[in-house]
Structures are given as C-alpha cells and as structure tokens.
DNA sequence: GTCTATAATGCGATAGAC
DNA sequence: GTCTATCGCATTATAGAC
C-alpha cells in the first residue's frame, strides 16, 4: 500500500527506524517546525534516502500516525480500557507536535484521494469495531447499530476535545472527557 | 482587526458582497478546487480588487467562517435551540465545501499566530457562554464550571462527528448527534 | 531503474498607474 | 477603489544523468 516495491528485511528495519525517529522528532519539535530534512539528518540519511521508503511526504506523515496508534493501543489493557484511554489522552497533551500532526492530517483527509483519507476511514472503522465489542462484553444488549452510535460519539468527543485543546492548551482533555463520561454515559461506559 | 483602513459605506458593502459570493463559491465548488481568482471572477473583480479588502487569503477564509456562523446563528430560535442546531448540522452536510473549509481552518489554528487561532478561541468561548446560559435557563443548577464542561462536550461531539463525516459521507451527523443526546444527556439537553 | 535538474504552471501577494 | 503587471513560492511534469 505504501511501499514502492517489496522491501528486503533490511529495508523493513530501515523504514521502522525512520518512523520511530520521525515520531520523536515531530513530538519534540512540533509539526510546523520540522522538515523531512531534519528527520533525515537524525536518521543519518539524506532526504532522498528517507524518501526512498515512502511514496510521498504525506504518506510518511500518515504512517507516523499509524505508528502512534500502535504505541497507544499497546498502552490500553483489556481490564481497564477506558481508564487507560483517558491516560493516553492525557499523555498526548505533552506531545503537542503529534496532536498538531493529527489535526493537520484530519483536515487533509477531506480530500478523498489523500492518503490520510484512507487512514482515517480505517482508523474510525477499527475503533468503532473495538468499542462495540467492548460494550458487548460489558453487557450492553442494544442492537449493534446503537452500540456503534455510542462508539462514534465517544470518538467524536475525544477528537473534538482535542480540537478545542489545540486553541486553548489550558484545557485538560482527560478531565473533560472523564467528566462527560461520568455524568452522561448510560452506564456501560463508566470509568473502570 | 482585519481591514487595512477604515472603510467607506460603499467599501463595507463591497466587502459584504465578496464574503457572500465567496461563501457560495466555496460551498459550490469545494474548498480545494477554489482559488481567490475564481472568487474574484464571480465578483467581477480582479484578484487585487478582492485582496484590497482582506489582509490575506487566510484572513478572508476565516471571515467566511464567521459569516457562516452568523447565518447559522440566525437559524437558531430561542424556543427550540437544540432542535434548530441539529437542523443546522444536517444542512451543513449539503455544503461539503464549507465543512472542508472548517476542518482545514481548525487544523491551521494549531499555529497560535494564524488568524484562525483567534477565531476558534473566540468562537469556542462564545458558544460555551451561550450554552451555559441556556442550561441555566433550563433549570440546570450545577456550578458554572460543570455547565461549561457540558457545553464543551457538546461542541466536541458536534465537531468530532463532523470530522468523521469528512471521511465517511454516508454518516448522518444530525442522527448521530440526536441519538447521543437522547440516550446520554442528563436531561437538560434533551431535544426540544 | 533511480535520483536530479530544469521547465512550466498556478497560486497568493504587492507595487504603481489611473 | 480597481486595475495591470509582476514577484516569489510551491507544486507538477519532463527529461536527462548516473
């Protein structure tokens, strides 16, 4: 989907390394401050060397987000997913560059052919599925369509709060989210 | 804040006309398809003629959003604000270009010095105030800080759903929003 | 086959004539 | 207040060099 050609084992490792480094660079220096040349320098590669592993700049940026999703997912336990998710929200706040990258890509996703569009489609679908499954295990017996609505609302709440945080960084996304859940959720989504 | 100099009555009318036309052009032809030269042509002006009234392209774009806010606000009655707001959400769906403009500007707002940053700060603050006032009139006796949390959550829900809609245009923002309100709100925010 | 160097296009922005 | 003309910049397409 993103490779120019089948990658050798070494190539795969290189790409992984680039993604890891790029994630850190954007987290440390902010979205707007960072060019791909900076990322390349930190990888001890040229710009061309970096671009060899990605179709385009946008493609690389999207893969950084995918990588963050993987890291975040690993921080969410089966026992206390809501509590853990709130912790992830809180942690993201201390990495503004990644949040900026996220909101920038989510705007870019409004072009259906932008690589970010496919990423967000898949991401939303996956999270909705996971949340529906979680609700089911919690004993939510409503039809799947209703559980899916709850899932989408939950994601919307988190994303929307993040958007507000971008222009008002004194806001605590985690507190706001937890309050809304505590005072308005129908029970299945209460903090665990 | 945005004018180069005090405007004559005619100048004010011209600027209003440009904003009205620009709103329609972006609504009709989408955000990405439209250049300021296109807007200018529809106004029967040159690019320079349009730019005379705005500090920059970004400034014009933000003022288009402000204009839409005014139009939307006029569609919300004191009697049934929630019901009317849901109708506005639904109506926006038929003007994808404006939604794209909104999400694009909300990403741009992550630069604190971008004109969109001030716009969103003010907009969030204003809507939160209005919603707090509304909750108060509805008999919500919680402290202001808690009502403000509800207000922010409501805005987040609407914005977040809009963001999902951008990548999945089969979603009905209005239905999703109404469902969440009906099944999870604490009562003061039930549809009216 | 890959990278690079150049050309062509279209954009927002600005200067100066009227 | 509006125009023409032009600038610098970014993106895209092309083509040649390795």
């Amino acid at each position: 989907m993103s490779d120019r050609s089948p990658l050798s084992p070494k190539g795969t490792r290189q790409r992984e390394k680039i993604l890891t480094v790029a994630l850190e660079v954007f987290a440390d220096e902010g979205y707007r401050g960072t060019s791909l040349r900076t990322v390349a320098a930190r990888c001890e590669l040229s710009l061309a060397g970096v671009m060899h592993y990605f179709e385009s700049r946008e493609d690389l940026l999207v893969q950084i987000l995918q990588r963050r999703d993987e890291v975040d997912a690993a921080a969410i336990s089966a026992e206390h997913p809501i509590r853990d998710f709130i912790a992830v929200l809180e942690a993201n706040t201390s990495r503004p560059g990644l949040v900026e990258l996220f909101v920038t890509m989510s705007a870019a996703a409004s072009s259906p052919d932008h690589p970010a569009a496919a990423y967000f489609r898949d991401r939303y679908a996956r999270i909705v599925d996971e949340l529906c499954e979680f609700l089911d295990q919690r004993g939510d017996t409503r039809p799947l369509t209703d559980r899916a609505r709850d899932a989408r609302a939950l994601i919307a709440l988190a994303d929307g709060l993040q958007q507000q945080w971008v222009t008002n960084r004194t806001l605590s996304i985690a507190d706001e989210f937890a309050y809304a859940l505590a005072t308005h959720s129908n029970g299945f989504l209460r903090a665990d």
Side-chain angles (χ1 to χ4, degrees), chain A:
Chain A
M1 196 221 292
S2 57
D3 311 347
R4 297 169 174 283
S5 64
L7 279 179
S8 68
K10 181 187 173 190
T12 304
R13 259 182 282 122
Q14 263 291 43
R15 201 183 58 186
E16 285 301 300
K17 185 193 164 194
I18 293 170
L19 283 174
T20 306
V21 171
L23 186 75
E24 287 313 309
V25 177
F26 278 98
D28 289 350
E29 309 190 6
Y31 171 67
R32 260 152 281 274
T34 343
S35 71
L36 292 196
R37 279 185 176 82
T38 309
V39 173
R42 286 252 211 137
C43 296
E44 293 174 318
L45 284 172
S46 70
L47 174 62
V50 167
M51 290 310 291
H52 177 252
Y53 296 96
F54 303 91
E55 303 239 343
S56 65
R57 169 195 156 84
E58 304 295 286
D59 182 47
L60 168 55
L61 296 179
V62 166
Q63 290 197 38
I64 293 173
L65 288 180
Q66 277 169 336
R67 173 129 202 138
R68 187 189 65 157
D69 284 344
E70 291 163 15
V71 174
D72 286 356
I76 292 176
S77 68
E79 298 78 34
H80 305 290
I82 303 284
R83 190 199 64 187
D84 295 340
F85 179 66
I86 291 175
V88 167
L89 288 179
E90 185 64 40
N92 282 344
T93 286
S94 67
R95 298 166 87 87
L98 295 182
V99 177
E100 289 158 19
L101 175 62
F102 184 91
V103 303
T104 305
M105 289 299 106
S106 73
S110 61
S111 312
D113 50 341
H114 190 285
Y119 162 72
F120 279 100
R121 263 193 303 273
D122 293 352
R123 181 177 188 270
Y124 286 135
R126 193 192 72 242
I127 302 180
V128 166
D129 280 353
E130 289 170 0
L131 276 170
C132 282
E133 171 65 17
F134 171 71
L135 286 171
D136 183 56
Q137 289 176 1
R138 276 292 176 95
D140 187 336
T141 56
R142 285 175 300 162
L144 179 61
T145 53
D146 288 347
R147 277 180 282 140
R149 281 184 197 274
D150 272 18
R152 286 190 289 266
L154 218 54
I155 301 165
L157 180 61
D159 288 350
L161 285 171
Q162 185 172 261
Q163 205 166 305
Q164 288 177 46
W165 176 83
V166 159
T167 55
N168 174 15
R169 309 218 175 173
T170 64
L171 198 74
S172 166
I173 300 179
D175 287 355
E176 300 284 326
F177 188 84
Y179 181 87
L181 227 56
T183 78
H184 296 294
S185 87
N186 67 0
F188 299 112
L189 287 168
R190 291 281 155 79
D192 46 1

PDB file of all heavy atoms in Angstrom, chain A residues 156-185:
ATOM      1  N   ALA A 156     -15.876  10.908  18.705  1.00  0.00           N
ATOM      2  CA  ALA A 156     -16.113  12.315  18.377  1.00  0.00           C
ATOM      3  C   ALA A 156     -15.798  13.202  19.566  1.00  0.00           C
ATOM      4  O   ALA A 156     -15.179  14.266  19.428  1.00  0.00           O
ATOM      5  CB  ALA A 156     -17.558  12.515  17.923  1.00  0.00           C
ATOM      6  N   LEU A 157     -16.215  12.753  20.738  1.00  0.00           N
ATOM      7  CA  LEU A 157     -15.958  13.536  21.951  1.00  0.00           C
ATOM      8  C   LEU A 157     -14.463  13.730  22.155  1.00  0.00           C
ATOM      9  O   LEU A 157     -13.986  14.854  22.370  1.00  0.00           O
ATOM     10  CB  LEU A 157     -16.587  12.820  23.152  1.00  0.00           C
ATOM     11  CG  LEU A 157     -16.424  13.483  24.515  1.00  0.00           C
ATOM     12  CD1 LEU A 157     -17.057  14.865  24.529  1.00  0.00           C
ATOM     13  CD2 LEU A 157     -17.028  12.615  25.610  1.00  0.00           C
ATOM     14  N   ALA A 158     -13.716  12.649  22.046  1.00  0.00           N
ATOM     15  CA  ALA A 158     -12.265  12.738  22.259  1.00  0.00           C
ATOM     16  C   ALA A 158     -11.613  13.624  21.191  1.00  0.00           C
ATOM     17  O   ALA A 158     -10.825  14.515  21.508  1.00  0.00           O
ATOM     18  CB  ALA A 158     -11.645  11.345  22.242  1.00  0.00           C
ATOM     19  N   ASP A 159     -11.973  13.400  19.923  1.00  0.00           N
ATOM     20  CA  ASP A 159     -11.379  14.184  18.844  1.00  0.00           C
ATOM     21  C   ASP A 159     -11.757  15.661  18.953  1.00  0.00           C
ATOM     22  O   ASP A 159     -10.932  16.554  18.740  1.00  0.00           O
ATOM     23  CB  ASP A 159     -11.835  13.651  17.480  1.00  0.00           C
ATOM     24  CG  ASP A 159     -11.193  12.324  17.131  1.00  0.00           C
ATOM     25  OD1 ASP A 159     -10.265  11.908  17.848  1.00  0.00           O
ATOM     26  OD2 ASP A 159     -11.612  11.698  16.134  1.00  0.00           O
ATOM     27  N   GLY A 160     -13.016  15.907  19.271  1.00  0.00           N
ATOM     28  CA  GLY A 160     -13.493  17.285  19.364  1.00  0.00           C
ATOM     29  C   GLY A 160     -12.828  18.032  20.511  1.00  0.00           C
ATOM     30  O   GLY A 160     -12.496  19.215  20.393  1.00  0.00           O
ATOM     31  N   LEU A 161     -12.627  17.348  21.627  1.00  0.00           N
ATOM     32  CA  LEU A 161     -11.944  17.982  22.759  1.00  0.00           C
ATOM     33  C   LEU A 161     -10.497  18.289  22.387  1.00  0.00           C
ATOM     34  O   LEU A 161      -9.957  19.341  22.733  1.00  0.00           O
ATOM     35  CB  LEU A 161     -11.993  17.075  23.990  1.00  0.00           C
ATOM     36  CG  LEU A 161     -13.341  16.997  24.703  1.00  0.00           C
ATOM     37  CD1 LEU A 161     -13.321  15.911  25.765  1.00  0.00           C
ATOM     38  CD2 LEU A 161     -13.701  18.347  25.338  1.00  0.00           C
ATOM     39  N   GLN A 162      -9.902  17.372  21.654  1.00  0.00           N
ATOM     40  CA  GLN A 162      -8.530  17.591  21.199  1.00  0.00           C
ATOM     41  C   GLN A 162      -8.448  18.850  20.340  1.00  0.00           C
ATOM     42  O   GLN A 162      -7.524  19.647  20.447  1.00  0.00           O
ATOM     43  CB  GLN A 162      -8.078  16.368  20.408  1.00  0.00           C
ATOM     44  CG  GLN A 162      -6.644  16.417  19.984  1.00  0.00           C
ATOM     45  CD  GLN A 162      -6.216  15.091  19.378  1.00  0.00           C
ATOM     46  OE1 GLN A 162      -5.615  14.271  20.026  1.00  0.00           O
ATOM     47  NE2 GLN A 162      -6.534  14.892  18.109  1.00  0.00           N
ATOM     48  N   GLN A 163      -9.465  19.016  19.498  1.00  0.00           N
ATOM     49  CA  GLN A 163      -9.515  20.187  18.626  1.00  0.00           C
ATOM     50  C   GLN A 163      -9.616  21.471  19.450  1.00  0.00           C
ATOM     51  O   GLN A 163      -8.967  22.474  19.142  1.00  0.00           O
ATOM     52  CB  GLN A 163     -10.727  20.038  17.714  1.00  0.00           C
ATOM     53  CG  GLN A 163     -10.638  20.782  16.411  1.00  0.00           C
ATOM     54  CD  GLN A 163     -11.733  20.279  15.448  1.00  0.00           C
ATOM     55  OE1 GLN A 163     -11.836  19.086  15.160  1.00  0.00           O
ATOM     56  NE2 GLN A 163     -12.553  21.196  14.984  1.00  0.00           N
ATOM     57  N   GLN A 164     -10.420  21.430  20.512  1.00  0.00           N
ATOM     58  CA  GLN A 164     -10.530  22.615  21.367  1.00  0.00           C
ATOM     59  C   GLN A 164      -9.211  22.871  22.086  1.00  0.00           C
ATOM     60  O   GLN A 164      -8.804  24.023  22.270  1.00  0.00           O
ATOM     61  CB  GLN A 164     -11.668  22.440  22.381  1.00  0.00           C
ATOM     62  CG  GLN A 164     -13.046  22.527  21.748  1.00  0.00           C
ATOM     63  CD  GLN A 164     -14.170  22.294  22.739  1.00  0.00           C
ATOM     64  OE1 GLN A 164     -14.180  22.849  23.834  1.00  0.00           O
ATOM     65  NE2 GLN A 164     -15.130  21.461  22.354  1.00  0.00           N
ATOM     66  N   TRP A 165      -8.551  21.804  22.475  1.00  0.00           N
ATOM     67  CA  TRP A 165      -7.290  21.941  23.191  1.00  0.00           C
ATOM     68  C   TRP A 165      -6.239  22.651  22.342  1.00  0.00           C
ATOM     69  O   TRP A 165      -5.409  23.408  22.845  1.00  0.00           O
ATOM     70  CB  TRP A 165      -6.771  20.555  23.604  1.00  0.00           C
ATOM     71  CG  TRP A 165      -5.425  20.581  24.254  1.00  0.00           C
ATOM     72  CD1 TRP A 165      -5.148  20.844  25.562  1.00  0.00           C
ATOM     73  CD2 TRP A 165      -4.162  20.360  23.616  1.00  0.00           C
ATOM     74  NE1 TRP A 165      -3.795  20.794  25.781  1.00  0.00           N
ATOM     75  CE2 TRP A 165      -3.160  20.503  24.601  1.00  0.00           C
ATOM     76  CE3 TRP A 165      -3.783  20.058  22.306  1.00  0.00           C
ATOM     77  CZ2 TRP A 165      -1.816  20.349  24.322  1.00  0.00           C
ATOM     78  CZ3 TRP A 165      -2.438  19.910  22.025  1.00  0.00           C
ATOM     79  CH2 TRP A 165      -1.470  20.050  23.028  1.00  0.00           C
ATOM     80  N   VAL A 166      -6.299  22.397  21.028  1.00  0.00           N
ATOM     81  CA  VAL A 166      -5.312  22.993  20.129  1.00  0.00           C
ATOM     82  C   VAL A 166      -5.325  24.517  20.223  1.00  0.00           C
ATOM     83  O   VAL A 166      -4.285  25.168  20.134  1.00  0.00           O
ATOM     84  CB  VAL A 166      -5.577  22.531  18.673  1.00  0.00           C
ATOM     85  CG1 VAL A 166      -4.951  23.472  17.673  1.00  0.00           C
ATOM     86  CG2 VAL A 166      -5.060  21.119  18.470  1.00  0.00           C
ATOM     87  N   THR A 167      -6.525  25.090  20.437  1.00  0.00           N
ATOM     88  CA  THR A 167      -6.585  26.554  20.523  1.00  0.00           C
ATOM     89  C   THR A 167      -6.658  27.054  21.958  1.00  0.00           C
ATOM     90  O   THR A 167      -6.696  28.254  22.192  1.00  0.00           O
ATOM     91  CB  THR A 167      -7.799  27.104  19.739  1.00  0.00           C
ATOM     92  OG1 THR A 167      -8.982  26.473  20.217  1.00  0.00           O
ATOM     93  CG2 THR A 167      -7.645  26.843  18.256  1.00  0.00           C
ATOM     94  N   ASN A 168      -6.733  26.130  22.901  1.00  0.00           N
ATOM     95  CA  ASN A 168      -6.766  26.528  24.313  1.00  0.00           C
ATOM     96  C   ASN A 168      -6.076  25.463  25.133  1.00  0.00           C
ATOM     97  O   ASN A 168      -6.711  24.557  25.662  1.00  0.00           O
ATOM     98  CB  ASN A 168      -8.201  26.716  24.789  1.00  0.00           C
ATOM     99  CG  ASN A 168      -8.271  26.975  26.291  1.00  0.00           C
ATOM    100  OD1 ASN A 168      -7.267  27.292  26.927  1.00  0.00           O
ATOM    101  ND2 ASN A 168      -9.456  26.828  26.846  1.00  0.00           N
ATOM    102  N   ARG A 169      -4.748  25.594  25.242  1.00  0.00           N
ATOM    103  CA  ARG A 169      -3.957  24.495  25.781  1.00  0.00           C
ATOM    104  C   ARG A 169      -4.002  24.420  27.294  1.00  0.00           C
ATOM    105  O   ARG A 169      -3.272  23.633  27.905  1.00  0.00           O
ATOM    106  CB  ARG A 169      -2.517  24.587  25.260  1.00  0.00           C
ATOM    107  CG  ARG A 169      -2.514  24.733  23.734  1.00  0.00           C
ATOM    108  CD  ARG A 169      -1.444  24.007  23.014  1.00  0.00           C
ATOM    109  NE  ARG A 169      -1.664  24.148  21.560  1.00  0.00           N
ATOM    110  CZ  ARG A 169      -0.829  23.732  20.634  1.00  0.00           C
ATOM    111  NH1 ARG A 169       0.299  23.144  20.965  1.00  0.00           N
ATOM    112  NH2 ARG A 169      -1.100  23.889  19.350  1.00  0.00           N
ATOM    113  N   THR A 170      -4.847  25.224  27.918  1.00  0.00           N
ATOM    114  CA  THR A 170      -5.042  25.063  29.355  1.00  0.00           C
ATOM    115  C   THR A 170      -6.109  24.009  29.638  1.00  0.00           C
ATOM    116  O   THR A 170      -6.279  23.581  30.777  1.00  0.00           O
ATOM    117  CB  THR A 170      -5.491  26.392  30.008  1.00  0.00           C
ATOM    118  OG1 THR A 170      -6.773  26.756  29.492  1.00  0.00           O
ATOM    119  CG2 THR A 170      -4.508  27.508  29.693  1.00  0.00           C
ATOM    120  N   LEU A 171      -6.839  23.626  28.611  1.00  0.00           N
ATOM    121  CA  LEU A 171      -7.897  22.627  28.759  1.00  0.00           C
ATOM    122  C   LEU A 171      -7.292  21.254  29.070  1.00  0.00           C
ATOM    123  O   LEU A 171      -6.312  20.855  28.460  1.00  0.00           O
ATOM    124  CB  LEU A 171      -8.676  22.563  27.440  1.00  0.00           C
ATOM    125  CG  LEU A 171     -10.061  21.928  27.442  1.00  0.00           C
ATOM    126  CD1 LEU A 171     -11.060  22.876  28.105  1.00  0.00           C
ATOM    127  CD2 LEU A 171     -10.497  21.641  26.009  1.00  0.00           C
ATOM    128  N   SER A 172      -7.894  20.548  30.013  1.00  0.00           N
ATOM    129  CA  SER A 172      -7.464  19.171  30.260  1.00  0.00           C
ATOM    130  C   SER A 172      -8.399  18.214  29.531  1.00  0.00           C
ATOM    131  O   SER A 172      -9.523  17.967  29.972  1.00  0.00           O
ATOM    132  CB  SER A 172      -7.469  18.855  31.754  1.00  0.00           C
ATOM    133  OG  SER A 172      -7.368  17.438  31.917  1.00  0.00           O
ATOM    134  N   ILE A 173      -7.930  17.688  28.420  1.00  0.00           N
ATOM    135  CA  ILE A 173      -8.763  16.786  27.624  1.00  0.00           C
ATOM    136  C   ILE A 173      -9.236  15.620  28.489  1.00  0.00           C
ATOM    137  O   ILE A 173     -10.411  15.241  28.469  1.00  0.00           O
ATOM    138  CB  ILE A 173      -7.978  16.258  26.406  1.00  0.00           C
ATOM    139  CG1 ILE A 173      -7.535  17.413  25.510  1.00  0.00           C
ATOM    140  CG2 ILE A 173      -8.828  15.283  25.613  1.00  0.00           C
ATOM    141  CD1 ILE A 173      -6.729  16.962  24.304  1.00  0.00           C
ATOM    142  N   ALA A 174      -8.320  15.076  29.268  1.00  0.00           N
ATOM    143  CA  ALA A 174      -8.653  13.904  30.083  1.00  0.00           C
ATOM    144  C   ALA A 174      -9.747  14.229  31.091  1.00  0.00           C
ATOM    145  O   ALA A 174     -10.712  13.477  31.251  1.00  0.00           O
ATOM    146  CB  ALA A 174      -7.401  13.396  30.786  1.00  0.00           C
ATOM    147  N   ASP A 175      -9.626  15.371  31.771  1.00  0.00           N
ATOM    148  CA  ASP A 175     -10.649  15.742  32.756  1.00  0.00           C
ATOM    149  C   ASP A 175     -12.003  15.951  32.098  1.00  0.00           C
ATOM    150  O   ASP A 175     -13.031  15.501  32.616  1.00  0.00           O
ATOM    151  CB  ASP A 175     -10.234  17.031  33.485  1.00  0.00           C
ATOM    152  CG  ASP A 175      -9.102  16.783  34.461  1.00  0.00           C
ATOM    153  OD1 ASP A 175      -8.709  15.603  34.629  1.00  0.00           O
ATOM    154  OD2 ASP A 175      -8.606  17.762  35.054  1.00  0.00           O
ATOM    155  N   GLU A 176     -11.990  16.663  30.984  1.00  0.00           N
ATOM    156  CA  GLU A 176     -13.252  16.945  30.288  1.00  0.00           C
ATOM    157  C   GLU A 176     -13.914  15.645  29.851  1.00  0.00           C
ATOM    158  O   GLU A 176     -15.110  15.452  30.008  1.00  0.00           O
ATOM    159  CB  GLU A 176     -12.991  17.832  29.059  1.00  0.00           C
ATOM    160  CG  GLU A 176     -12.357  19.179  29.360  1.00  0.00           C
ATOM    161  CD  GLU A 176     -13.352  20.176  29.941  1.00  0.00           C
ATOM    162  OE1 GLU A 176     -14.531  20.124  29.550  1.00  0.00           O
ATOM    163  OE2 GLU A 176     -12.939  20.986  30.789  1.00  0.00           O
ATOM    164  N   PHE A 177     -13.090  14.775  29.299  1.00  0.00           N
ATOM    165  CA  PHE A 177     -13.613  13.502  28.803  1.00  0.00           C
ATOM    166  C   PHE A 177     -14.180  12.674  29.953  1.00  0.00           C
ATOM    167  O   PHE A 177     -15.297  12.140  29.875  1.00  0.00           O
ATOM    168  CB  PHE A 177     -12.489  12.752  28.094  1.00  0.00           C
ATOM    169  CG  PHE A 177     -12.922  11.512  27.371  1.00  0.00           C
ATOM    170  CD1 PHE A 177     -13.432  11.589  26.079  1.00  0.00           C
ATOM    171  CD2 PHE A 177     -12.808  10.269  27.963  1.00  0.00           C
ATOM    172  CE1 PHE A 177     -13.833  10.449  25.404  1.00  0.00           C
ATOM    173  CE2 PHE A 177     -13.203   9.116  27.288  1.00  0.00           C
ATOM    174  CZ  PHE A 177     -13.718   9.213  26.000  1.00  0.00           C
ATOM    175  N   ALA A 178     -13.423  12.598  31.029  1.00  0.00           N
ATOM    176  CA  ALA A 178     -13.854  11.794  32.169  1.00  0.00           C
ATOM    177  C   ALA A 178     -15.140  12.355  32.771  1.00  0.00           C
ATOM    178  O   ALA A 178     -16.056  11.603  33.137  1.00  0.00           O
ATOM    179  CB  ALA A 178     -12.749  11.760  33.227  1.00  0.00           C
ATOM    180  N   TYR A 179     -15.246  13.678  32.844  1.00  0.00           N
ATOM    181  CA  TYR A 179     -16.457  14.287  33.396  1.00  0.00           C
ATOM    182  C   TYR A 179     -17.671  13.947  32.542  1.00  0.00           C
ATOM    183  O   TYR A 179     -18.724  13.554  33.047  1.00  0.00           O
ATOM    184  CB  TYR A 179     -16.308  15.802  33.503  1.00  0.00           C
ATOM    185  CG  TYR A 179     -17.527  16.470  34.083  1.00  0.00           C
ATOM    186  CD1 TYR A 179     -17.677  16.605  35.465  1.00  0.00           C
ATOM    187  CD2 TYR A 179     -18.544  16.958  33.268  1.00  0.00           C
ATOM    188  CE1 TYR A 179     -18.801  17.201  36.011  1.00  0.00           C
ATOM    189  CE2 TYR A 179     -19.682  17.556  33.802  1.00  0.00           C
ATOM    190  CZ  TYR A 179     -19.802  17.678  35.174  1.00  0.00           C
ATOM    191  OH  TYR A 179     -20.921  18.258  35.708  1.00  0.00           O
ATOM    192  N   ALA A 180     -17.517  14.100  31.230  1.00  0.00           N
ATOM    193  CA  ALA A 180     -18.636  13.815  30.322  1.00  0.00           C
ATOM    194  C   ALA A 180     -19.076  12.366  30.462  1.00  0.00           C
ATOM    195  O   ALA A 180     -20.271  12.063  30.525  1.00  0.00           O
ATOM    196  CB  ALA A 180     -18.235  14.129  28.884  1.00  0.00           C
ATOM    197  N   LEU A 181     -18.102  11.482  30.564  1.00  0.00           N
ATOM    198  CA  LEU A 181     -18.420  10.053  30.695  1.00  0.00           C
ATOM    199  C   LEU A 181     -19.144   9.791  32.003  1.00  0.00           C
ATOM    200  O   LEU A 181     -20.137   9.051  32.056  1.00  0.00           O
ATOM    201  CB  LEU A 181     -17.111   9.262  30.653  1.00  0.00           C
ATOM    202  CG  LEU A 181     -17.080   8.048  29.746  1.00  0.00           C
ATOM    203  CD1 LEU A 181     -17.445   8.444  28.330  1.00  0.00           C
ATOM    204  CD2 LEU A 181     -15.700   7.414  29.783  1.00  0.00           C
ATOM    205  N   ALA A 182     -18.647  10.409  33.057  1.00  0.00           N
ATOM    206  CA  ALA A 182     -19.206  10.144  34.379  1.00  0.00           C
ATOM    207  C   ALA A 182     -20.629  10.687  34.509  1.00  0.00           C
ATOM    208  O   ALA A 182     -21.489  10.060  35.135  1.00  0.00           O
ATOM    209  CB  ALA A 182     -18.308  10.762  35.449  1.00  0.00           C
ATOM    210  N   THR A 183     -20.885  11.840  33.931  1.00  0.00           N
ATOM    211  CA  THR A 183     -22.193  12.455  34.160  1.00  0.00           C
ATOM    212  C   THR A 183     -23.218  12.140  33.083  1.00  0.00           C
ATOM    213  O   THR A 183     -24.399  12.348  33.294  1.00  0.00           O
ATOM    214  CB  THR A 183     -22.094  13.995  34.312  1.00  0.00           C
ATOM    215  OG1 THR A 183     -21.949  14.575  33.026  1.00  0.00           O
ATOM    216  CG2 THR A 183     -20.939  14.385  35.198  1.00  0.00           C
ATOM    217  N   HIS A 184     -22.767  11.650  31.947  1.00  0.00           N
ATOM    218  CA  HIS A 184     -23.728  11.449  30.861  1.00  0.00           C
ATOM    219  C   HIS A 184     -23.788  10.049  30.281  1.00  0.00           C
ATOM    220  O   HIS A 184     -24.724   9.739  29.556  1.00  0.00           O
ATOM    221  CB  HIS A 184     -23.467  12.435  29.717  1.00  0.00           C
ATOM    222  CG  HIS A 184     -23.662  13.852  30.108  1.00  0.00           C
ATOM    223  ND1 HIS A 184     -24.886  14.361  30.461  1.00  0.00           N
ATOM    224  CD2 HIS A 184     -22.792  14.877  30.227  1.00  0.00           C
ATOM    225  CE1 HIS A 184     -24.755  15.649  30.766  1.00  0.00           C
ATOM    226  NE2 HIS A 184     -23.487  15.978  30.639  1.00  0.00           N
ATOM    227  N   SER A 185     -22.823   9.199  30.553  1.00  0.00           N
ATOM    228  CA  SER A 185     -22.859   7.917  29.864  1.00  0.00           C
ATOM    229  C   SER A 185     -23.957   7.049  30.451  1.00  0.00           C
ATOM    230  O   SER A 185     -24.367   7.211  31.600  1.00  0.00           O
ATOM    231  CB  SER A 185     -21.515   7.207  29.960  1.00  0.00           C
ATOM    232  OG  SER A 185     -21.462   6.444  31.140  1.00  0.00           O
TER     233      SER A 185
END
